[in-house]
Amino acid sequence: MSDIGHRTSDIAQPSIPVADPALVARDVVRRFGYRAVLAGVSFTLAPGEALMLVGPNGAGKTTLLRVLAGLLRASGGTVERRGNVGMVAHYSMLYDALTARENLRFFGRLHGGPAAGRAGELLQLMGLAAVGDQRVGSFSRGMTQRLAIARALLSDPDILLLDEPLTGLDDPSMAKVVEVLGALRARGRALLIASHQLAELMGVVTAVGVLAKGRLQAIEPTAGRGVEAITARYREAVRGA
């Protein structure tokens, strides 16, 4: 990943090219009225990399993910996506009155092509095969989140954007989600994860980016480093923002 370990002054403009990056953000700005929630975010993400975004509440993590997914138009800057994108948002975007299988078949038809026939495969992947014919309205928080991830994987995305994917999950559901995310990265998918749960995701992510005051204040590699070191760097970056 380009820009790894660089501070704000170094990453204002991406300067280290990545061969065939999956996702490139250049000086991304997003304003709401006169307020710039994103004030010039730049980074690159290559296949097989997983960047975790951390930052205070209101730092712009969700806004950035929505811009990168194409759900929200940037006020400035550019985003390049190479391959298709899947997103897991705060809300599941599932239909409670439909079964898990019916939800996946419905969204699969919207995607078209091979996605329409992937319901059974994805239910199995996410540990939901036994409840595939139950209505989503009866699901626990963890089951719903796993199904939301299955929905995001229908098109076999090259880039997966996840907004707080572990929030509210019990230990078995969390373990399953972490296992699947690790397998996706190992298969060469590019992951961008906004989360406060650094310890749980340390085995998956390859770098941690600190977002504060609308900018990436630092991007730090996780290889050979512990949670305490990354957390200390996060606090330092936020204080200096």
Side-chain angles (χ1 to χ4, degrees):
M1 177 179 297
S2 66
D3 303 324
I4 293 291
H6 288 234
R7 296 176 184 249
T8 310
S9 59
D10 299 316
I11 66 172
Q13 298 286 341
S15 57
I16 305 175
V18 173
D20 299 320
L23 182 64
V24 180
R26 293 189 179 92
D27 291 326
V28 172
V29 175
R30 173 62 200 194
R31 298 185 185 90
F32 293 96
Y34 292 105
R35 178 174 173 251
V37 176
L38 302 175
V41 174
S42 298
F43 69 93
T44 58
L45 188 65
E49 292 185 330
L51 173 62
M52 179 174 174
L53 292 175
V54 298
N57 290 334
K61 300 185 293 296
T62 294
T63 298
L64 178 59
L65 289 182
R66 294 187 67 204
V67 169
L68 296 175
L71 301 175
L72 193 63
R73 180 174 294 180
S75 304
T78 60
V79 176
E80 296 176 14
R81 311 170 194 87
R82 297 177 186 173
N84 57 334
V85 179
M87 183 169 181
V88 179
H90 271 305
Y91 302 102
S92 70
M93 295 187 285
L94 300 168
Y95 292 98
D96 286 351
L98 300 181
T99 69
R101 195 180 311 275
E102 288 169 342
N103 266 279
L104 294 183
R105 285 175 175 169
F106 171 75
F107 286 106
R109 287 195 295 272
L110 292 181
H111 284 291
R118 297 193 69 204
E121 171 192 341
L122 290 171
L123 288 171
Q124 186 70 41
L125 174 69
M126 298 308 303
L128 296 170
V131 295
D133 295 312
Q134 292 183 21
R135 289 186 178 181
V136 171
S138 69
F139 277 16
S140 68
R141 173 74 175 84
M143 293 161 66
T144 301
Q145 184 71 342
R146 282 184 276 154
L147 185 60
I149 293 173
R151 181 197 55 75
L153 296 177
L154 278 165
S155 63
D156 195 18
D158 302 285
I159 305 162
L160 187 60
L161 310 175
L162 303 107
D163 197 354
E164 298 290 354
L166 304 183
T167 298
L169 302 192
D170 58 16
D171 288 344
S173 291
M174 190 178 299
K176 170 54 73 174
V177 170
V178 169
E179 174 192 344
V180 169
L181 295 182
L184 288 168
R185 185 179 68 79
R187 288 174 51 207
R189 303 303 185 259
L191 309 180
L192 185 62
I193 308 169
S195 179
H196 290 92
Q197 294 171 275
L198 178 58
E200 292 81 358
L201 289 164
M202 275 291 284
V204 173
V205 299
T206 55
V208 175
V210 180
L211 188 65
K213 295 189 177 178
R215 295 181 181 274
L216 275 173
Q217 304 295 334
I219 302 181
E220 299 290 325
T222 57
R225 308 186 72 183
V227 174
E228 294 80 6
I230 296 292
T231 300
R233 182 67 184 96
Y234 159 68
R235 291 171 178 161
E236 175 190 343
V238 170
R239 282 197 303 269

